[in-house]
Structure formats: C-alpha cells, structure tokens
C-alpha cells in the first residue's frame, strides 16, 4: 500500500503486504496509532522490517499507513470506520429477587480511556462488573467486547478474550509466594499435564522460563520485586492490590476492570497504583474501567466518568461536567461528592 508513494525503497513483497494489511486491520479494530507499536505482533514487525529494510522508523511507517496513505484510507473506511467501542453495555438488567440491582443500564467504554464508574452505595456498579465478567448472568440486555457478544460467556472465557478484573477485596492465593501467584495466571500451561513433564520436559521448562521472565518483569514494573518470595497473605492491603494488577498484566489484557483500587490503600501505594494505571494506559494502550469512591482519585485520573444511580446510568461526561451536574449532586445527597465539588 505504501509502495504507491513511488519511492522504490518502499517496495514490499506481496506476502509482507498481506501480513501488514492483516495487522493493520487488527490494529484498526483495537484503536489508534498511538497504541499501535504496543499491539503489533512480532510477525508483522518482522514483515515491516523486512519490507522497509530499516529505512524508516516503524512508528512513522505505521502513522503514514494509517493516516495519510490513500490505500490505507480505504482501509480506514472499510475496517477502522466500522470500529466499535471496546466495551458496550446495552440495556442491561439484573434483579435479585424483588430488587432490581441493574435496571436497563447502557454505556460504552472507548479504547484507550480510563473511564470512571461512580455512584452512591448500592447503585449497581459491582453488579455491572459481575455481569460484564461473566460471574453472574444478565436477565436481559447485551454486553459487547470489541463487537463480540460476551454476555453468555463464563468468567474464564471472558478472561481469555483480554478482559480482566480485580475485586474490592483482593483474591490472592495467600499460601503461595507473590511470584507463584503470577506464574499461575497463564492458562493452558503444558506443565499442568503430567505426561508433558515426562514426554516433553524441554517444552515445559521453556514455557515455565518464559512465564518466569514475564512474572519478574511485571514485579519489577510494579515495584514488588522485593516481596517476590513473600507469602501473598503477608502483603499489605496496597501491595495485594498491586499484586492483583500484576496478575492481570500476566494475561496481556486489553481492558482491565478495577473495583475500588484505592480502598484500604495507604497514600504512598495509592500514588504508585495511580501511576501504574496512567503508564499502562499511555504506554501499553490498556483501557481501564474503574469503580471508585475516592472522588479526588476519580476526578484526577478518569475521563470520562459514568455515574450510576438506582441501577441506571444517571450521567456521563468529563470530570468537570459530571462534578457540576445537579442530578449527580442530588444522587449523592450532599455526601462526599458535594464536598469535593466544593
Ligand atoms: N448477590 C446478591 N444478592 C442479593 N442482592 C444483591 C446481590 N448483589 C448485589 N445485591 C444488591 O444489589 C444492589 C446493588 O449492589 P452493588 O453491590 O452492585 O452496588 P454498588 O454500586 O457496587 O455499591 P457499593 O458502592 O456499596 O459497592 C444492592 O442493593 C445490593 O444489596
């Protein structure tokens, strides 16, 4: 596609062109240029390197391809143009006996955002998380992840599609070390089957070495290396939340749902958690949807903010707009939100 610029240095073999096209399609579905370099698969990068023989920086090529090149523009129309939000909740409803916890609730989460989900106690936020992640089935409504209906899937199936979550109360394996907690995450490990250990020991070791390297990288990233051999049960509340985040990262998620990441966390670790969310969003293109009662955190970290009340979406918008929304203030009845709104 870029070969049509007329510069022979830009010529690409058809097979590489096909790979690039395929990867650009995948990229288009995932979100813009900024996140491309983090999502590009090694095969495509290899193809690009081969095609361009290192003459142009990869990111520059991709920006050209997706922004200015005419063939790439037609790609945008056919593929990127039909791009859907990363997560879409449509008309979701869930009752527990006579109590309607989620009541025809609809909202969207756009790629690359850190979206806040707030609302007074009992508004239905955690129930929405449980529905999205397959922990409970909806009574009605749809949940679409990247356009695919995931409303009927089990939690592990949702997880394998790149959607991870944390819980209000962390669910670490207390009698295992921090490192082991991370090593457990990758699904379908060959070592889970005893015959592989006998028949394919090399494969099992190689896989374990890969997971170990990744776990160490995640620990370093989250600054938990110093507690890697500690039992998870011995960690502080904040460290357990970081460990949960680490478990998410082991799965290379595209969307992370955080349920009250600030609850029970001291100020220092809270800054670390906030910093990690921002960096992961900016550098790895991970999208976040987070429930939080700490309004200072929500207002400084999230954009947009979705407000739920009595099972429904009450308001949505930029933090400042939501902060001054009368209906939102009323829903909180002059509680902590009103205090922040000043
Ligand atoms: N498994 C359940 N069985 C019965 N009622 C439930 C169940 N889960 C939630 N509820 C009820 O549904 C309503 C919404 O609860 P939910 O936990 O989703 O609210 P929330 O907005 O997350 O509240 P909070 O901010 O206090 O965590 C509440 O009245 C709650 O008591």
């Amino acid at each position: 596609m870029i070969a049509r610029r007329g510069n022979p240095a830009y010529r690409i073999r058809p097979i590489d062109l096909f790979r690039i096209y395929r990867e650009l399609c995948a990229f288009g579905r995932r979100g813009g240029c900024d996140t491309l370099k983090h999502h590009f698969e090694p095969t495509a990068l290899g193809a690009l390197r081969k095609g361009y023989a290192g003459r142009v920086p990869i990111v520059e090529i991709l920006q050209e391809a997706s922004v200015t090149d005419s063939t790439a523009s037609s790609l945008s129309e056919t593929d990127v143009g039909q791009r859907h939000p990363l997560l879409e909740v449509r008309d979701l409803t869930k009752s527990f006996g006579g109590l309607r916890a989620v009541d025809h609730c609809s909202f969207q989460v756009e790629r690359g955002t850190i979206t806040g989900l707030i609302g007074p106690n009992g508004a239905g936020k955690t129930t929405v998380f449980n529905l999205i992640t397959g922990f409970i089935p909806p009574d009605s409504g749809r949940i679409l992840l990247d356009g695919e209906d995931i409303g009927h899937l089990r939690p592990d199936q949702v997880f394998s599609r790149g959607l991870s979550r944390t819980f209000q109360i962390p669910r670490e394996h207390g009698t295992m070390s921090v490192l082991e907690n991370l090593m457990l995450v990758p699904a379908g490990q060959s070592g889970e089957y005893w015959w592989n250990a006998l028949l394919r020991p090399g494969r099992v070791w190689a896989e374990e070495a890969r997971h170990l390297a990744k776990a160490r990288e995640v620990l370093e990233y989250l600054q938990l290396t110093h507690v890697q051999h500690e039992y998870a049960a011995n960690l502080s509340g904040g460290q357990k939340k970081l460990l949960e985040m680490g478990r998410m990262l082991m799965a290379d998620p595209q969307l992370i749902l955080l349920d009250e990441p600030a609850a029970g966390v001291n100020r220092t670790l809270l800054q670390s958690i906030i910093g990690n969310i921002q960096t992961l969003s900016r550098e790895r293109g991970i999208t976040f949807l987070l429930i939080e009662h700490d309004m200072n955190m929500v207002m400084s970290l999230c954009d947009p903010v979705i407000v739920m009340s009595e099972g429904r979406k009450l308001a949505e918008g930029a933090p400042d707009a939501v902060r001054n929304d009368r209906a939102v203030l009323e829903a909180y009845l002059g509680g902590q939100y009103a205090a922040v709104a000043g």
Side-chain angles (χ1 to χ4, degrees):
M1 59 190 79
I2 302 142
R4 293 197 298 102
R5 289 178 168 277
N7 183 340
Y10 280 48
R11 204 154 287 138
I12 307 173
R13 295 184 313 170
I15 181 69
D16 293 335
L17 191 62
F18 170 72
R19 286 183 185 149
I20 292 167
Y21 174 82
R22 198 187 57 192
E23 292 306 320
L24 277 175
C25 287
F27 159 65
R29 284 192 292 274
R30 288 179 192 133
C33 253
D34 293 347
T35 56
L36 182 57
K37 60 180 173 173
H38 304 296
H39 289 308
F40 233 67
E41 288 170 14
T43 50
L45 280 175
L48 277 172
R49 285 202 187 100
K50 204 180 285 175
Y52 288 88
R55 289 183 180 89
V56 187
I58 298 289
V59 172
E60 202 178 298
I61 295 165
L62 299 172
Q63 280 170 346
E64 279 188 37
S66 57
V67 177
T68 59
D69 186 81
S70 58
T71 309
S73 302
S74 66
L75 173 70
S76 304
E77 280 153 28
T78 55
D79 191 69
V80 181
Q82 295 168 7
R83 198 192 302 160
H84 14 245
L86 182 54
L87 178 71
E88 195 174 355
V89 167
R90 284 192 202 155
D91 222 16
L92 203 59
T93 296
K94 180 70 186 179
S95 297
F96 298 108
L99 174 82
R100 187 163 283 188
V102 178
D103 187 8
H104 298 283
C105 183
S106 300
F107 63 82
Q108 299 181 350
V109 176
E110 298 296 337
R111 286 176 179 73
T113 59
I114 302 174
T115 300
L117 183 61
I118 66 169
N121 293 114
K125 306 179 295 292
T126 298
T127 306
V128 164
F129 267 28
N130 288 336
L131 291 166
I132 292 172
T133 49
F135 281 79
I136 51 174
D139 296 338
S140 61
R142 297 184 74 196
I143 302 160
L144 305 171
L145 179 67
D146 209 1
E148 183 196 0
D149 195 334
I150 58 163
H152 56 287
L153 298 183
R154 297 188 311 264
D156 60 304
Q157 293 172 319
V158 175
F159 183 75
S160 70
R161 280 162 176 73
L163 198 164
S164 303
R165 75 171 290 184
T166 64
F167 294 87
Q168 272 178 31
I169 299 167
R171 297 187 174 185
E172 75 286 346
H173 299 283
T175 54
M176 297 177 90
S177 76
V178 168
L179 187 62
E180 286 164 345
N181 266 267
L182 297 189
M183 296 279 291
L184 269 184
V185 175
Q189 301 186 38
S190 327
E192 288 170 18
Y193 307 100
W194 61 266
W195 54 86
N196 281 333
L198 280 178
L199 302 174
R200 303 187 189 95
R203 182 167 142 187
V204 173
W205 289 333
E207 196 179 85
E208 206 164 302
R210 264 201 321 276
H211 296 325
L212 182 62
K214 184 165 186 179
R216 292 213 163 115
E217 186 200 334
V218 167
L219 288 174
E220 200 176 317
Y221 186 81
L222 298 174
Q223 297 180 355
L224 284 177
T225 304
H226 62 294
V227 289
Q228 62 179 314
H229 300 303
E230 192 66 58
Y231 283 129
N234 294 342
L235 299 183
S236 71
Q239 287 173 326
K240 284 179 182 173
K241 299 234 164 177
L242 282 173
L243 175 57
E244 278 227 311
M245 205 180 277
R247 281 157 47 101
M248 304 299 99
L249 293 180
M250 287 296 289
D252 290 325
Q254 52 175 336
L255 173 62
I256 297 184
L257 273 49
L258 298 172
D259 199 345
E260 299 196 29
V265 177
N266 71 44
R267 282 283 131 192
T268 316
L269 275 176
L270 182 56
Q271 284 315 314
S272 168
I273 288 172
I274 291 174
N276 281 319
I277 295 171
Q278 286 169 326
T279 316
L280 290 167
S281 162
R282 196 173 51 241
E283 292 182 1
R284 300 202 186 179
I286 297 177
T287 304
F288 287 89
L289 174 64
L290 66 98
I291 297 176
E292 189 47 71
H293 285 290
D294 181 331
M295 288 305 147
N296 290 321
M297 177 176 175
V298 171
M299 294 299 155
S300 61
L301 183 65
C302 303
D303 191 359
V305 176
I306 297 167
V307 188
M308 280 188 71
S309 177
E310 298 178 355
R312 288 170 172 265
K313 183 176 87 174
L314 181 69
E316 179 178 359
D320 273 346
V322 165
R323 183 197 295 263
N324 297 313
D325 188 295
R326 178 171 291 278
V328 174
L329 289 168
E330 279 171 13
Y332 275 92
L333 291 174
Q336 58 172 324
Y337 186 89
V340 170

